[in-house]
Amino acid sequence: QGLPCSGKRPARASTGDPITQAAMPSVAQDWLTKVRQVHGQVDFQDTEKLGQISAFLQDHATSSRNEWTHKVFDDFPDWWQNHRQSCFKLAISEQGTLEQLHEYIAKLYDARIPLTLTEKCTTQFNLVQDIQIWGNRDSALAAEELLAPQSAFARLLGRAMMELYRNALTLDAIVFDATGYSQTKGIMKTSLRIVWYCEISQGHWSRVIVDKDRALRIHDFVVSKFTDSNESDIKAIEARMQLDHMENTWRNVFTDLIYSGREGIRMPLNDRVSPGPHKRVEKRPFAPWGVLRFKFDEGNLAEVERVSDETALSSLQWLKAGCARCEEGTEVTEWTPPVWTQLVRRGDGRGDGASRRVGPVSTRTQGGSDGRLGGPRASARDTPFVQADVAGSPGMVYAPSGSPQGARQEGGPDAGDSQSTMRVGTHVFEGQGLHELGLFVGDRLIVQG
């Protein structure tokens, strides 16, 4: 029978023992009928296994907002639930239960009836990047086009990551592919998940571990690299993307919702659910694609190689390699904080497109939040531009010595550097007080407005 969603789980049979008759649904329960209601016709016929999986998932259901570790995507009523007492959150914390969950996920993926689970982001987590590109009704950019070893896209991504992880001998990108028809817009969509590993010393590999603030800063840096690129092949990809759909800007392609979304991070081998009111599985789970290896030589990208395809590992091994959660307190991977220049427009976005980011200024604070300038919006015609070199902490603006009177001066980024540091509030850009501030380097206006 279905278990009440109380947040307290009753005693259960150990994962290694057969599920007792009390924990199993009645024999009359037709699990295949439920599965077919969600997935259509399936070949999987092991109703006993389906009952066992359902019992396990229901046994670990919780209503606690703090206790949950995994969740059903968008509260989708999946086949394994008791819909009279549905719980969409799971607490997978007991010894051995995470391994059991992974085995069930892999089993159902191989049976072509994937689950729809996400995982709650821990304080520190494996660096993952989602790439989302809208296509048209008939086609979308394929993973092979973007991530072929000689492709401009893959090589630019590798160079950007190299700048952040200069101590790594090699970076590995484990890739999952969920490209297919999206019921959200009724068109094709490229959906890729990249999970990063690094080789710190010869033969010693580890996950690239980040926290939310660092992940957001990496996201902004990568977006800036693609936005500022003048490579003809990158421009061609951008033109094709935007021909398919106007939302395909680099900032949307490298989405940052994965780090702050309430739904958690969709797990590898799990399917996505279309929006309500008629929620349906989209039949495009994150399937293993392979591994790209980026090799560096004296700070330069020397080689990109696809070292394995989807057949290299079992589904269970791919799943374990692609999960994002890690133990609390895990040390983040050593990195080199990014330095880049942002040019943004403060205004309502109806201008002539001269700026690279249109609309209200959006910045990363010390805590990784998304700050916005206050005050009324300026018209496009008299909208001032704001430019800042973002180095190390995103709350710093570096400028030559001799900044405007009244600006607080601090030590520069490097000892003996001719530059000094000016902090404007806790953001790179802060609305209060900037109406009196004009900062020039030579004859170039840097901040005004």
Side-chain angles (χ1 to χ4, degrees):
Q1 300 295 322
L3 298 172
C5 191
S6 63
K8 295 182 179 180
R9 299 185 302 279
R12 59 182 297 276
S14 65
T15 56
D17 299 331
I19 302 297
T20 63
Q21 185 63 35
M24 288 289 289
S26 64
V27 177
Q29 176 68 61
D30 187 353
W31 291 111
L32 280 178
T33 298
K34 284 195 166 188
V35 169
R36 287 167 181 160
Q37 288 173 350
V38 174
H39 294 279
Q41 190 63 36
V42 296
D43 296 329
F44 192 72
Q45 301 294 322
D46 191 345
T47 55
E48 183 178 353
K49 177 62 69 175
L50 293 176
Q52 184 179 353
I53 294 172
S54 176
F56 172 85
L57 294 173
Q58 291 188 41
D59 192 25
H60 289 84
T62 179
S63 59
S64 171
R65 294 184 176 182
N66 297 322
E67 186 179 307
W68 74 278
T69 59
H70 299 75
K71 183 181 183 297
V72 181
F73 192 101
D74 198 19
D75 294 348
F76 174 66
D78 214 343
W79 63 267
W80 55 268
Q81 295 172 300
N82 177 349
H83 300 312
R84 290 174 298 179
Q85 296 174 322
S86 293
C87 284
F88 302 100
K89 297 182 178 70
L90 304 174
I92 307 295
S93 55
E94 299 169 3
Q95 186 175 5
T97 55
L98 182 60
E99 179 71 24
Q100 186 70 77
L101 175 66
H102 287 169
E103 290 179 5
Y104 286 152
I105 289 173
K107 178 76 173 180
L108 293 174
Y109 173 80
D110 289 338
R112 299 187 178 183
I113 47 175
L115 291 172
T116 55
L117 297 180
T118 69
E119 53 183 344
K120 186 179 183 179
C121 196
T122 44
T123 304
Q124 300 83 27
F125 54 93
N126 203 15
L127 176 60
V128 295
Q129 293 173 329
D130 274 5
I131 297 171
Q132 300 183 9
I133 307 172
W134 292 108
N136 53 49
R137 291 189 176 184
D138 302 314
S139 65
L141 279 166
E144 288 73 14
E145 296 179 74
L146 294 173
L147 300 177
Q150 296 305 316
S151 72
F153 185 98
R155 299 184 76 84
L156 179 55
L157 180 59
R159 291 196 299 272
M161 295 300 296
M162 177 203 69
E163 290 188 42
L164 301 172
Y165 293 96
R166 298 179 184 274
N167 293 332
L169 302 176
T170 304
L171 286 173
D172 271 12
I174 298 180
V175 182
F176 297 87
D177 185 9
T179 299
Y181 181 79
S182 170
Q183 297 180 32
T184 302
K185 293 186 183 293
I187 56 178
M188 299 292 288
K189 184 180 183 181
T190 304
S191 294
L192 303 176
R193 163 75 53 79
I194 297 178
V195 187
W196 288 97
Y197 284 71
C198 62
E199 184 183 22
I200 299 300
S201 58
Q202 194 67 37
H204 178 68
W205 289 86
S206 65
R207 295 171 179 259
V208 176
I209 303 298
V210 296
D211 54 23
K212 180 180 176 180
D213 174 65
R214 185 170 295 187
L216 289 169
R217 291 163 66 183
I218 291 172
H219 165 269
D220 288 352
F221 179 67
V222 170
V223 168
S224 75
K225 284 296 188 181
F226 278 81
T227 302
D228 295 343
S229 175
N230 291 318
E231 294 183 54
S232 59
D233 288 344
I234 295 297
K235 291 296 185 184
I237 294 172
E238 184 177 23
R240 176 179 171 183
M241 293 190 313
Q242 295 188 346
L243 183 64
D244 281 337
H245 204 283
M246 62 183 298
E247 291 183 13
N248 288 333
T249 63
W250 289 119
R251 183 161 293 276
N252 290 335
V253 167
F254 292 96
T255 176
D256 62 357
L257 294 178
I258 186 176
Y259 310 123
S260 55
R262 290 176 296 179
E263 291 297 325
I265 299 175
R266 178 154 64 109
M267 298 180 71
L269 313 188
N270 280 256
D271 207 347
R272 194 187 188 283
V273 177
S274 63
H278 304 295
K279 297 178 182 179
R280 297 186 180 91
V281 293
E282 294 208 338
K283 298 185 178 180
R284 49 185 193 98
F286 271 131
W289 180 84
V291 179
L292 274 185
R293 178 160 294 170
F294 300 88
K295 296 181 179 179
F296 307 116
D297 183 19
E298 297 182 353
N300 296 312
L301 181 62
E303 183 182 0
V304 182
E305 179 185 7
R306 186 177 181 181
V307 295
S308 66
D309 60 16
E310 69 279 5
T311 64
L313 301 173
S314 68
S315 295
L316 181 59
Q317 290 172 320
W318 282 116
L319 173 62
K320 291 181 177 180
C323 287
R325 287 175 60 86
C326 61
E327 293 184 7
E328 293 291 338
T330 301
E331 185 177 357
V332 296
T333 305
E334 182 181 356
W335 76 325
T336 302
V339 179
W340 79 100
T341 298
Q342 290 181 327
L343 179 62
V344 295
R345 181 192 297 278
R346 178 184 176 188
D348 59 7
R350 295 193 296 268
D352 56 10
S355 67
R356 291 194 293 271
R357 287 175 53 195
V358 179
V361 175
S362 176
T363 62
R364 303 292 183 200
T365 65
Q366 295 268 13
S369 62
D370 190 10
R372 294 191 181 275
L373 286 175
R377 292 182 175 181
S379 66
R381 179 168 300 185
D382 58 12
T383 294
F385 289 94
V386 184
Q387 177 173 309
D389 292 324
V390 183
S393 166
M396 300 291 189
V397 178
Y398 293 99
S401 57
S403 294
Q405 185 176 2
R408 183 157 67 104
Q409 299 297 316
E410 301 178 6
D414 298 300
D417 199 328
S418 62
Q419 292 182 318
S420 60
T421 303
M422 180 182 67
R423 180 189 296 274
V424 183
T426 58
H427 295 77
V428 176
F429 313 112
E430 187 67 53
Q432 294 81 359
L434 280 186
H435 61 282
E436 297 177 350
L437 179 61
L439 177 61
F440 289 81
V441 177
D443 61 353
R444 182 173 178 79
L445 176 64
I446 299 298
V447 179
Q448 180 175 329

